[in-house]
Amino acid sequence: MKGLVTKSTGSWYEVLADDGNIYRCRIKGKFRTKDIKTTNPIAVGDWVAITPEAEPYTAIIVHLDERRNYIIRKSVNLSKQAQIIAANLDQAFLVVTLASPFTSLGFIDRFLVTAEAYDIPAGLIFNKLDLFSEEGIQILREYESIYKTIGYPCFEVSALHGTHIDSIKNLFQDKTTLISGHSGVGKSTLINAIHPQAALRTADISDWSDKGRHTTTFAEMIMLPFGGRLIDTPGIRELGVIDIESQELSHFFPEMRERMNDCRFNDCRHINEPGCAVLAALEAGDIAPSRYDSYLSIYHGNDTRA
């Protein structure tokens, strides 16, 4: 039988099979993925073939279909290891908060670079609109200006108060969407606002770190009643960019990509080369300094801009 992986708990997977039933599955054999060392061979969103076992609604995953795309995060502690967060996505959105907890520009940029590298359209959802002061709104406008200018859609919501939730429903309708972000940014509250029957657990922000407690421990696919699938991921504290060669990195910054061919040298690194169109645009104010800082940080392999 064919099926869609809807939940992963590490060693067991839930698969929605084409007979309409959900099977608890384990893996038989090894699945190789483009020579990436990953901690999980199968991910939520994967299409698989399963063979039922004697016990009702249990099965073995015997085949993994080719993925259209996938998105991975680095295991920060084990730099060579990576975790596939989800596969076969139409789009990915990062839920961003400017306070409680703070989402840095560097973190946003790592998410967007990863999505670009794996060919997944991405955007930003700014949550907790109800908490914004006038100064906060001003910072929000600055953030939005950076990303809208380079083609990333930005949305503003208050998941708690239901503000602008309908626009998010329209965004997710009939699509497979990954939703990600730091713990505590309100992903579960947002999902509950979109689909109240999902009844996901939400947790208060832990005061001591302002990073939020993990309420989602494993990626899970939620079927939306109005059409579409939502993949909720565990809160991410760090996002290490993996599998991208430094000379390819500028391809995943749209504002650099469109200027690269104007550089004097074909192998320009956009760091200190003469005749660099990217540096000229930075100097002219056409590239945001925060984006260029993120480029340098990722280029030099610094994983500290969480």
Side-chain angles (χ1 to χ4, degrees), residues 140-201:
L140 172 64
R141 296 286 170 262
E142 287 168 18
Y143 267 44
E144 286 180 334
S145 159
I146 291 170
Y147 295 103
K148 282 181 175 176
T149 304
I150 51 176
Y152 292 111
C154 296
F155 300 87
E156 302 171 5
V157 301
S158 167
L160 198 59
H161 294 278
T163 314
H164 302 159
I165 291 301
D166 282 346
S167 62
I168 303 299
K169 283 184 177 179
N170 293 337
L171 193 62
F172 291 172
Q173 189 168 3
D174 299 331
K175 300 265 175 70
T176 299
T177 305
L178 174 92
I179 188 170
S180 195
H182 282 310
S183 298
V185 293
K187 287 194 312 300
S188 297
T189 309
L190 179 62
I191 293 166
N192 287 339
I194 292 165
H195 178 22
Q197 289 74 36
L200 299 182
R201 289 189 305 127

Side-chain angles (χ1 to χ4, degrees), residues 12-13 15 19-25 52-59:
W12 285 88
Y13 301 89
V15 174
D19 66 358
N21 292 312
I22 289 177
Y23 288 79
R24 196 163 177 258
C25 300
E53 292 192 288
E55 194 181 327
Y57 305 115
T58 64

Side-chain angles (χ1 to χ4, degrees), residues 5 14 26 52 57 72 108 123 147 149 151 160 167 183 206 216 227 233 237 241 250 256 277 284 301 303:
V5 179
E14 282 184 12
R26 55 194 177 88
Y57 305 115
I72 64 178
I108 294 171
Y147 295 103
T149 304
L160 198 59
S167 62
S183 298
S206 49
T216 313
T233 59
R237 291 191 180 205
V241 175
S250 54
M256 294 189 182
D303 279 342

